[in-house]
């Protein structure tokens, strides 16, 4: 079953809204979109990446290890090579140190994945590519205190180009995915011990109906593995799936479809134990700005949030995290009120509402990573660009201080029989069945007047209508939020039969 909370398709094509009122633009710019962040900004730079031979372009979700340090990865400018590095920094921004530099040839490099802390206190990650024997990437761990250990080097047949974050079950076993390679060359799910021993593929993707090229994995509260792919399925645009930890019981739960939702998932998944759903983000279907979605083991797939560029950013590539208050926090590398520097967002999963947006500035921007929870209740995230050295920066974010999103007045799309562009008057004959479709972006509520009975309706919906007598029948839809109201009228003109 698919249910879309935030978007609707009318006539088989997507509708999106652009433009803001002058009042909305003034409201957005009044709290600052260029230059340094305001003092009240919940996102504060605690450290700038050094650049040069000490690391630039931090990428992927960081983690806080038991030693108190926050660990992260950078893509470029390692001390001895151009293959990236692992760094650590204290939560006050001091003590930055490179703890390992990838060599490319034996360890792989370009660490684009997300980090996780295992039950043994070690930091686990992946190198997504490399050269020579390590060209397909690797898995590794770093033991706080100074020991780096290579756990597995992919050879193509056992997977290629690992991504996302590893997940660990109650028995200590680690699970992950490789985007390519495997038996059919379309990616694989694997498991291994924390030592790297007993590495085994538990599922190889064949493409087509069962999906191909995985891009996210999570362990659900039911101890099943949940994931998504970027290809295959009924439309060739990817699937959401579940499976047992031994690889049995693989089941497609949803096929992505660009005609009704955003596609192209590129981020790790997060399981929310409060509601039993697994959450993720999509980047774009080519006609939208990406989304936040969720699904569960029963196959209930929902779009929770549509990115719109203007208010909340665009083209997310990073995972969400469940914050200390149960809300979901994420990022978008571009767009937002600043129109170019990206955003951090806060969603209340209980209501599926966007409740907070931080608009980033040119001081630290283009976040390509998910946020991570610190032991101090703060969130930490790397910014890919900005900082005093123009090499990126580390941000500390107060999850309790996100400003409410600044929304324009509602935008309304209202149709009779899905005519595009919508006509204000539609002709019909007595007794012929017609249909009204509507969608309002940014609205809190909508009400109807005119020919249909007065009352409230959802911010999106449809209704079949039929008139038996000749005449004009107006249908009025008015949608409202704190910024004001927007109305649209459709008139059904009933003419004699020819």
């Amino acid at each position: 079953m698919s249910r879309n909370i935030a978007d609707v398709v009318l006539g088989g094509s997507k509708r999106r809204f652009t433009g803001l009122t002058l009042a909305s633009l003034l409201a957005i710019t009044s709290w600052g979109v260029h230059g340094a962040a305001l003092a009240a900004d919940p996102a504060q730079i605690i450290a700038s990446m050094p650049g040069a031979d000490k690391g630039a372009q931090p990428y992927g979700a960081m983690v806080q290890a038991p030693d108190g340090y926050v660990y992260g990865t950078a893509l470029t400018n390692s001390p001895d090579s151009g293959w990236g590095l692992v760094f650590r920094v204290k939560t006050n921004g001091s003590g930055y140190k490179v703890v390992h530099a990838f060599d490319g040839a034996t360890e792989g490099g370009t660490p684009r994945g997300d980090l996780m802390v295992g039950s043994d206190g070690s930091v686990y990650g992946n190198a997504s590519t490399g050269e020579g024997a390590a060209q397909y990437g690797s898995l590794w761990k770093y033991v706080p205190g100074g020991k780096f250990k290579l756990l597995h080097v992919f050879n193509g047949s056992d997977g290629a180009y690992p991504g996302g974050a590893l997940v660990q079950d109650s028995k200590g076993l680690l699970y992950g995915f490789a985007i390519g390679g495997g038996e059919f060359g379309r990616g694989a799910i694997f498991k291994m011990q924390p030592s790297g021993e007993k590495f085994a593929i538990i599922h190889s993707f064949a493409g087509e109906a069962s999906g191909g090229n995985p891009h996210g994995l999570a362990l659900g509260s039911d101890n099943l593995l949940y994931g998504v792919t970027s290809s295959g399925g009924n439309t060739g645009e990817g699937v959401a799936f579940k499976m047992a930890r031994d690889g049995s019981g693989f089941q497609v739960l949803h096929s992505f479809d660009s005609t009704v939702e955003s596609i192209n998932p590129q981020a790790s998944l997060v399981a929310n134990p409060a509601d039993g759903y697994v959450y993720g983000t999509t980047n774009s279907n080519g006609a939208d700005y990406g989304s936040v979605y969720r699904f569960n083991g029963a196959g209930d797939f929902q779009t929770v949030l549509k990115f719109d560029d203007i208010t909340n950013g665009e083209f997310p590539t990073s995972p969400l995290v469940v914050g200390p208050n149960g809300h979901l926090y994420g990022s978008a590398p571009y767009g937002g009120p600043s129109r170019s520097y990206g955003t951090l967002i806060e969603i209340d999963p209980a209501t599926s509402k966007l409740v907070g947006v931080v608009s980033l500035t040119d001081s630290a921007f283009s976040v390509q990573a998910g946020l991570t929870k610190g032991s101090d209740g703060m969130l930490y995230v790397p910014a890919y660009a900005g900082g005093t050295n123009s090499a990126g920066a580390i941000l500390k974010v107060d999850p309790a201080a996100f400003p409410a999103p600044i929304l324009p007045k509602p935008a309304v799309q209202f149709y009779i029989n899905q005519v595009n562009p919508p006509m204000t008057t539609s002709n019909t004959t007595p007794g012929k069945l017609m249909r009204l479709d509507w969608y309002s972006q940014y609205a809190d509520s909508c009400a109807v007047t005119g020919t249909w009975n007065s009352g409230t309706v959802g911010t999106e919906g449809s209704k079949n209508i039929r008139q038996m007598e000749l005449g004009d029948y107006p249908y009025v839809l008015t949608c409202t939020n704190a910024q004001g109201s927007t109305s649209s009228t459709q008139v059904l003109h009933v003419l004699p039969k020819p």
Side-chain angles (χ1 to χ4, degrees):
M1 171 184 175
S2 296
R3 183 157 60 92
N4 194 325
I5 296 172
D7 200 6
V8 68
V9 173
L10 303 176
S13 62
K14 290 224 176 264
R15 311 286 177 245
R16 74 183 185 198
F17 299 93
T18 58
L20 288 169
T21 65
L22 177 59
S24 298
L25 284 171
L26 291 174
I28 290 172
T29 56
S30 67
W31 61 292
V33 297
H34 295 291
L38 303 181
D41 195 326
Q44 300 294 324
I45 296 175
I46 59 170
S48 290
M49 296 297 290
D53 64 343
K54 297 297 184 181
Q57 299 175 342
Y59 200 102
M62 304 186 298
V63 291
Q64 186 178 25
D67 63 359
Y69 283 93
V70 174
Y71 289 79
T73 57
L75 294 182
T76 59
N77 297 344
S78 59
D80 301 312
S81 73
W83 287 104
L85 53 80
V86 184
F87 65 86
R88 73 178 188 188
V89 64
K90 292 181 179 179
T91 56
N92 64 4
S94 66
Y96 179 93
K97 179 182 179 180
V98 174
V99 299
H100 184 76
F102 294 96
D103 66 11
T106 63
E107 302 168 339
T110 318
R112 292 182 177 272
D114 303 309
L115 303 182
M116 62 86 69
V117 174
S119 57
D120 60 355
S122 297
V123 176
Y124 290 81
N126 64 61
S128 59
T129 185
E131 64 182 358
Q135 63 181 305
Y136 298 115
S138 68
L139 304 171
W140 53 268
K141 75 175 180 180
Y142 178 79
V143 180
K147 184 177 180 181
F148 177 91
K149 181 178 180 181
L150 188 64
L151 300 177
H152 183 78
V153 177
F154 290 92
N155 61 26
S157 63
D158 63 357
Y161 318 123
L166 295 171
V167 297
Q168 189 170 38
D169 68 12
S170 60
K171 296 181 179 180
L173 294 177
L174 297 170
Y175 302 82
F177 67 89
I179 299 171
E183 183 178 358
F184 307 105
R186 300 296 296 274
I189 306 296
F190 59 83
K191 69 177 181 179
M192 67 179 183
Q193 294 181 341
S195 64
E197 296 175 312
K198 295 187 177 180
F199 177 95
I201 291 179
I202 60 174
H203 182 81
S204 282
F205 291 90
E208 300 183 358
S210 62
N213 308 115
H215 276 272
L217 193 68
L219 184 64
S221 56
D222 56 4
N223 284 319
L224 296 178
L225 293 173
Y226 289 82
V228 291
T229 73
S230 61
S231 66
N234 295 337
T235 65
E237 295 170 333
V239 303
F241 65 86
K242 70 177 180 179
M243 61 190 297
R245 288 172 292 157
D246 61 3
S248 64
F250 181 92
Q251 180 183 352
V252 172
L253 300 171
H254 176 77
S255 286
F256 287 94
D257 184 348
S258 60
T259 67
V260 297
E261 64 206 4
S262 187
I263 61 170
N264 196 20
Q266 295 186 4
S268 298
L269 302 176
V270 60
N272 183 11
D275 59 18
Y277 282 87
V278 174
Y279 288 77
T281 61
T282 60
N283 181 257
S284 175
N285 67 7
D288 68 6
Y289 298 107
S291 73
V292 173
Y293 64 87
R294 67 183 181 187
F295 64 97
N296 63 16
D300 182 22
F301 184 97
Q302 305 171 11
T303 298
V304 176
L305 173 72
K306 295 291 289 184
F307 287 90
D308 62 9
D309 174 33
I310 298 170
T311 64
N312 54 31
E314 61 183 358
F315 309 136
T317 58
S318 55
L320 302 166
V321 64
V322 181
N325 57 358
H327 287 186
L328 296 168
Y329 294 86
S331 64
Y334 312 109
S338 68
R339 302 311 304 274
S340 58
Y341 297 120
T343 62
L344 306 176
I345 64 167
E346 177 186 6
I347 297 171
D348 181 355
T351 62
S352 298
K353 292 288 188 180
L354 178 71
V355 296
V357 176
V358 175
S359 182
L360 299 177
T361 72
D362 58 2
S363 59
F365 60 98
S366 190
V367 171
Q368 306 278 350
L371 294 89
T372 191
K373 291 181 289 188
S375 59
D376 55 2
M378 297 290 105
L379 302 174
Y380 295 85
V381 67
Y384 185 79
T388 56
N389 302 310
S390 298
I394 309 302
L395 300 175
K396 176 187 286 190
V397 187
D398 184 354
F402 273 52
I406 302 174
L407 302 177
K409 289 174 62 176
V412 174
Q413 294 280 20
F414 193 22
Y415 302 81
I416 292 182
N417 275 19
Q418 303 179 358
V419 176
N420 184 34
M423 308 291 288
T424 57
T425 300
S426 298
N427 295 331
T428 187
T429 55
K432 184 177 179 180
L433 186 67
M434 306 288 280
R435 195 177 85 172
L436 297 168
D437 286 285
W438 66 92
Y439 170 51
S440 179
Q441 193 173 21
Y442 312 124
D444 293 326
S445 62
C446 293
V448 296
T449 56
T451 302
W452 46 10
N453 295 329
S454 297
T456 59
V457 294
T459 56
E460 62 179 79
S462 62
K463 180 179 177 63
N464 291 328
I465 57 174
R466 191 197 316 261
Q467 298 297 338
M468 305 304 295
E469 303 294 333
L470 302 180
D472 292 338
Y473 298 87
Y475 296 84
V476 183
L477 176 71
T478 301
C479 296
T480 304
N481 67 10
Q483 304 298 323
S485 298
T486 303
S487 295
S488 180
T489 300
Q490 286 289 324
V491 177
L492 185 65
H493 188 43
V494 182
L495 302 171
K497 291 183 179 181

